[in-house]
């Protein structure tokens, strides 16, 4: 069995030098039709792809996927789908390869159409939608979603249907179309109820539910969904569990329940995810608890990658910062009837220009009554005048009297 010994030899070489193992795997693939077992060639194909992935050679990996089609056509269709999806997934571990991954996926879809492999085509199109989403190509994503949903509903393939509807919800959320995102998620959950839903897919559905509830400021329900997500991902050792834990902590901060964070982090599920990302959320919780803008900005600067790269965290923290800034400004101006803007800026340690813009926004939002005297660089605060309710009371009295008169008229009409 020469191929077995060659694969074993290549595997030994790969442990120390993936570069030197590449020619060995290539020789096995080149020996097609010489009596070498098909399973050995499949193994060599995947191992060679892993070498390219580990060495960060995306172009060689793309060429391998294209050149291996002859071998793949002789493999059973069910196995083919798994191999191609695995090969394309290897791209995701190589940085800055998203455009190439999209191109390879498109080419492979064209090949599946020629070979009339419908189920593989649908699986690859689902993957392509996710790639479009990662690359912020939202219009392309929605166009492909619409086409694919029609096909899936005809074939009644519920599993892929759930994945596509979930992706549609994520795309709509990215476009800030929350009503459509909720509708797509509801459809995905309805489809999922009709089949056995794998734990990873169920966790993804819970994650999206939590995100949409958080967008609607329903952080309590969002927390419950994120907890379910954390348990689902944690049971499968999925790296996305840390995102679920961060969102749980975010919900507690937004609910002004920062004291609960330590008990969450001491729970059995969360203990193994302690690290810099959790420390970032703890720093934000501490700043919010102390109502300190300076601490908040220091946390954002110290953990820029952990807090700034996640759009969900970033959006909610921007809202939290605005809320915290308003609370600080209201507390500072409360004792004054007239105060210099530079003095307010000095107290809360922010640029005067930023403070002036925020004060004008608060005046327009009627957070407090006042006016900015830009000539003198001052804020003039007015006493909140009580609302005179005489006019409203008079209208209510007249309305009640009208009802009484109408009632008396109806009774008088009956008597006559």
């Amino acid at each position: 069995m020469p191929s077995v010994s060659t694969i074993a030899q290549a595997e030994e070489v790969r442990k120390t030098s993936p570069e030197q193992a590449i020619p060995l795997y290539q020789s096995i693939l080149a020996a097609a039709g010489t009596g070498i077992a098909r399973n050995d060639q499949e193994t060599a194909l995947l191992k060679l792809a892993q070498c390219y992935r580990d060495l960060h050679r995306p172009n060689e990996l793309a060429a391998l996927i294209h050149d291996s089609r002859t071998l793949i056509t002789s493999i059973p269709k069910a196995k083919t789908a798994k191999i191609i999806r695995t090969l394309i997934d290897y791209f995701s571990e190589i940085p800055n390869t998203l455009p190439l991954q999209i191109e390879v996926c498109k080419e492979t879809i064209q090949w599946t159409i020629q070979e009339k492999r419908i189920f593989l085509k649908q699986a690859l199109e689902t993957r392509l939608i996710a790639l479009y989403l990662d690359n912020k190509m939202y219009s392309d994503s929605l166009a492909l979603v619409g086409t694919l949903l029609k096909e899936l509903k005809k074939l009644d393939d519920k599993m892929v249907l759930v994945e596509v509807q979930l992706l549609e919800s994520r795309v709509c959320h990215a476009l800030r179309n929350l009503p459509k995102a909720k509708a797509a998620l509801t459809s995905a959950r309805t489809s999922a109820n009709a089949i056995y839903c794998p734990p990873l897919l169920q966790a993804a559905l819970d994650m999206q539910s939590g995100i949409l509830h958080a967008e609607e400021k329903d952080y309590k329900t969002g927390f419950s969904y994120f907890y379910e997500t954390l348990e689902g991902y944690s049971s499968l050792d999925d790296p996305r569990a840390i995102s679920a834990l961060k969102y749980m902590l975010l919900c507690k901060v937004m609910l002004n329940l920062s004291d609960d964070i330590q008990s969450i982090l001491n729970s059995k599920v969360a203990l193994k995810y302690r690290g810099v990302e959790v420390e970032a959320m703890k720093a934000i919780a501490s700043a919010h608890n102390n109502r300190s803008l300076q601490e908040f900005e220091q946390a954002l600067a110290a953990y820029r990658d952990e807090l700034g790269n996640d759009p969900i965290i970033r959006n909610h923290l921007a809202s939290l910062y605005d809320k915290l800034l308003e609370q600080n400004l209201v507390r500072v101006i409360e004792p004054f009837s007239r105060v210099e803007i530079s003095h307010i800026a000095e107290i809360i340690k922010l640029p005067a220009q930023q403070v002036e813009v925020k004060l004008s926004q608060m005046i327009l939002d009627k957070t407090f009554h006042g006016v900015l005297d830009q000539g003198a660089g001052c804020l003039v605060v007015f006493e909140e005048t009580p609302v005179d309710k005489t006019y409203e009371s008079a209208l209510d009295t007249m309305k009640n009297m009208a009802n009484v008169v109408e009632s008396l008229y109806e009774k008088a009409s009956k008597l006559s």
Side-chain angles (χ1 to χ4, degrees):
M1 297 287 288
S3 65
V4 175
S5 61
T6 307
I7 284 177
Q9 179 190 353
E11 191 60 27
E12 285 298 320
V13 173
R14 180 170 168 263
K15 289 176 184 176
T16 54
S17 174
E19 182 77 46
Q20 294 176 9
I22 289 174
L24 298 173
Y25 289 128
Q26 286 175 336
S27 65
I28 298 170
L29 290 173
T34 58
I36 293 176
R38 184 70 62 195
N39 287 343
D40 294 338
Q41 290 192 316
E42 292 170 24
T43 305
L45 175 63
L46 292 172
K47 295 291 183 184
L48 180 56
Q50 288 170 15
C51 289
Y52 289 144
R53 177 198 64 190
D54 297 340
L55 293 168
H56 289 186
R57 294 186 181 177
N59 292 322
E60 284 86 342
L61 181 55
L64 177 65
I65 293 172
H66 183 273
D67 296 340
S68 62
R69 288 175 186 171
T70 307
L71 170 64
I72 286 170
T73 50
S74 60
I75 299 172
K77 289 185 178 181
K79 209 169 187 180
T80 302
K82 185 179 179 182
I83 290 172
I84 289 180
R85 283 201 301 268
T86 304
L87 292 174
I88 290 176
D89 284 343
Y90 285 156
F91 276 105
S92 59
E93 298 179 42
I94 306 174
N96 304 319
T97 57
L98 204 50
L100 179 60
Q101 198 174 352
I102 290 171
E103 193 58 40
V104 170
C105 211
K106 283 181 176 178
E107 287 178 6
T108 313
I109 288 169
Q110 289 302 317
W111 174 76
T112 58
I113 292 170
Q114 292 168 9
E115 294 289 321
K116 297 182 180 178
R117 301 197 175 196
I118 304 299
F119 292 104
L120 177 56
K121 178 181 88 74
Q122 291 170 349
L124 289 174
E125 284 178 338
T126 305
R127 179 75 178 130
L128 184 57
I129 293 167
L131 294 173
Y132 279 152
L133 176 59
D134 292 340
N135 206 30
K136 297 182 173 58
M137 298 166 67
Y138 303 127
S139 56
D140 292 324
S141 292
L142 288 176
L144 188 52
V145 162
T147 308
L148 192 53
L149 281 177
K150 288 177 185 175
E151 292 180 20
L152 292 170
K153 284 173 182 175
K154 286 179 185 175
L155 294 171
D156 201 30
D157 190 343
K158 297 283 188 188
M159 187 69 74
V160 183
L161 185 62
V162 172
E163 291 181 37
V164 175
Q165 287 168 333
L166 176 58
L167 284 168
E168 182 185 14
S169 177
R170 289 177 58 200
V171 173
C172 292
H173 173 252
L175 290 168
R176 312 304 298 166
N177 188 345
L178 296 184
K180 199 163 183 181
K182 285 177 66 180
L185 182 63
T186 303
S187 300
R189 284 196 167 278
T190 304
S191 302
N193 288 337
I195 56 166
Y196 166 72
C197 194
L200 270 179
L201 186 55
Q202 184 61 53
L205 288 168
D206 289 335
M207 176 78 92
Q208 184 66 8
S209 297
I211 288 169
L212 293 182
H213 278 286
E215 288 286 357
E216 295 180 327
K217 313 297 182 191
D218 184 3
Y219 296 109
K220 193 173 181 181
T221 308
F223 177 85
S224 302
Y225 277 116
F226 291 137
Y227 184 76
E228 293 292 333
T229 306
L230 175 62
E231 287 195 323
Y233 283 145
S234 179
S235 64
L236 298 165
D237 292 325
D238 192 287
R240 287 172 288 182
I242 186 66
S243 295
L245 178 58
K246 282 167 64 180
Y247 297 159
M248 283 171 62
L249 301 180
L250 176 68
C251 287
K252 286 297 181 184
V253 172
M254 299 303 284
L255 287 166
N256 292 325
L257 297 172
S258 300
D259 295 336
D260 293 351
I261 285 178
Q262 196 55 48
S263 60
I264 292 170
L265 295 177
N266 290 333
S267 65
K268 186 179 177 183
V269 181
L271 273 174
K272 60 181 176 181
Y273 298 109
R274 298 292 288 269
V276 67
E277 302 212 9
V278 171
E279 290 302 318
M281 293 308 299
K282 282 177 70 177
I284 289 293
S286 173
H288 181 257
N289 217 21
N290 298 333
R291 298 287 188 270
S292 170
L293 279 172
Q294 196 172 3
E295 283 184 37
F296 198 96
E297 289 187 334
Q298 285 172 355
L300 288 175
Y303 300 102
R304 185 175 283 105
D305 292 339
E306 290 77 17
L307 299 173
N309 290 343
D310 188 325
I312 310 298
I313 298 278
R314 188 172 62 243
N315 289 342
H316 287 287
L317 288 188
S319 167
L320 186 64
Y321 181 82
D322 264 3
K323 185 179 173 184
L324 201 56
L325 180 56
E326 280 189 15
Q327 289 172 352
N328 275 264
L329 286 171
V330 167
R331 189 184 66 206
V332 168
I333 66 176
E334 193 172 9
F336 299 101
S337 60
R338 184 182 180 89
V339 58
E340 289 185 354
I341 294 170
S342 58
H343 180 63
I344 299 172
E346 188 181 337
I347 292 173
I348 63 173
K349 296 180 177 62
L350 283 176
Q353 181 65 30
Q354 184 181 344
V355 171
E356 186 178 337
V357 169
K358 187 61 186 175
L359 286 171
S360 64
Q361 182 187 330
M362 289 169 69
I363 291 169
L364 291 171
D365 291 342
K366 297 183 179 178
T367 306
F368 68 91
H369 296 282
V371 67
L372 286 169
D373 184 348
Q374 289 183 316
C378 290
L379 170 70
V380 181
V381 183
F382 303 140
E383 289 291 332
E384 191 170 348
T385 53
V387 179
D388 188 357
K389 295 186 178 180
T390 307
Y391 182 69
E392 288 181 15
S393 300
L395 284 175
D396 288 340
T397 304
M398 290 172 68
K399 186 177 178 182
N400 289 331
M401 284 182 67
N403 290 337
V404 170
V405 170
E406 284 180 10
S407 176
L408 290 171
Y409 176 77
E410 286 176 7
K411 288 180 180 179
S413 299
K414 288 177 182 178
L415 289 172
S416 60

